[in-house]
Amino acid sequence: MPRNPDHRGATKEEFERFQRERPIMLRRVATIWELWRLCGRKDCRRAKACTGPNGDQCAGEFISTALSEEERATFQEAIRLRSQGADADTAWREAERRIAAHKAQLEAIPGMRGERYAGRLL
């Protein structure tokens, strides 16, 4: 089946499946990180798990505010590697290695210093 260039090479079916699974994955991430402790929803705190309609509320806010850009880039790269079949430990180690190499390349370019650019080109 042809790839759709608008969705980073995913077929339409793959993209739609990801969109359906995304809230489930974000709820799991929010539960694993125990974000229910910080959540304003009483049902999440009672259940000691993310029970919201989607995980964007807790996990998305946490990821965008609590993690540095370098940590977010590493997290995204690890997810990409997991989707390609790597086991969790291997994906995380390889993602850290790739982000560190990418950051070193950017820092070698005059005027491109700091983690502000860590995830821009991956």
Side-chain angles (χ1 to χ4, degrees):
M1 177 164 273
R3 297 289 177 173
N4 184 338
D6 296 335
H7 299 114
R8 293 188 171 183
T11 63
K12 182 179 179 187
E13 292 78 16
E14 289 169 336
F15 179 76
E16 289 171 353
R17 180 180 53 84
F18 176 78
Q19 291 301 93
R20 285 190 308 272
E21 292 174 359
R22 187 173 186 271
I24 297 165
M25 179 183 66
L26 289 172
R27 274 195 299 279
R28 286 182 184 163
V29 167
T31 299
I32 289 168
W33 287 346
E34 297 183 0
L35 297 181
W36 50 266
R37 294 177 184 270
L38 311 170
C39 187
R41 295 175 50 100
K42 288 181 182 180
D43 53 338
C44 292
R45 290 193 311 271
R46 273 190 222 115
K48 295 184 179 181
C50 180
T51 60
N54 61 38
D56 289 347
Q57 184 177 357
C58 295
E61 277 183 38
F62 180 78
I63 289 170
S64 65
T65 58
L67 300 179
S68 69
E69 191 157 335
E70 184 175 348
E71 291 167 329
R72 281 192 304 275
T74 303
F75 188 69
Q76 289 172 340
E77 184 64 14
I79 290 171
R80 186 175 305 129
L81 291 166
R82 288 280 290 151
S83 72
Q84 294 171 355
D87 67 88
D89 291 333
T90 303
W92 189 258
R93 282 192 306 273
E94 179 62 17
E96 286 180 323
R97 187 195 66 73
R98 288 182 183 186
I99 297 303
H102 179 69
K103 186 176 177 183
Q105 285 177 333
L106 289 177
E107 288 181 348
I109 300 170
M112 302 270 296
R113 301 251 186 263
E115 69 176 34
R116 192 169 101 202
Y117 300 100
R120 297 283 162 85
L121 297 178
L122 284 179

